Amino acid sequence: MAEDSSSVKPEGDAAAGQGGNEHFNIKVTDNNNEVFFRIRKTTALKKLMDTFCDRQGKSRASVRFLFDGERVNETDTPDGLGMQDGDILEVVQEQVGGAF
């Protein structure tokens, strides 16, 4: 199992010392690979999603990110989702289909 540790840094790092912008760790896993990200609670998760897909060679459109079984949108933030240090985002393959 491959492990990687990354830091997703949003623009405007001067705000790092301000309240509400503290960093914490999130583990992203697709059951084959685990990547650890250090991210601010107020950063949109789009950067994290794009970075994970780039490193794993996956198409962003072919996977979905889940937190506690609920789909995560690119505009969601860890703070908005109520995430805590050490929480896990799961990556699953997009499934297309329907009922007969």
Side-chain angles (χ1 to χ4, degrees):
M1 187 178 318
E3 287 192 28
D4 190 8
S5 182
S6 301
S7 185
V8 177
K9 295 182 180 175
E11 296 176 16
D13 282 336
Q18 296 178 359
N21 283 332
E22 63 271 7
H23 290 85
F24 67 107
N25 298 304
I26 297 175
K27 179 168 89 171
V28 181
T29 181
D30 64 1
N31 290 327
N32 293 319
N33 301 293
E34 294 178 343
V35 182
F36 295 87
F37 291 92
R38 184 164 173 81
I39 188 171
R40 288 187 184 144
K41 289 186 174 188
T42 56
T43 300
L45 291 172
K46 180 183 186 319
K47 288 186 173 192
L48 180 146
M49 295 172 174
D50 290 342
T51 301
F52 180 83
C53 289
D54 287 345
R55 291 189 178 181
Q56 301 305 319
K58 296 179 185 286
S59 166
R60 179 68 185 87
S62 70
V63 296
R64 297 293 173 248
F65 290 78
L66 304 175
F67 175 63
D68 286 342
E70 298 292 323
R71 186 170 172 174
V72 175
N73 295 309
E74 293 180 342
T75 56
D76 288 335
T77 64
D79 199 34
L81 294 172
M83 296 180 82
Q84 302 294 320
D85 188 51
D87 277 344
I88 299 171
L89 278 180
E90 296 176 79
V91 182
V92 296
Q93 191 71 28
E94 168 77 7
Q95 295 185 9
V96 180
F100 286 82

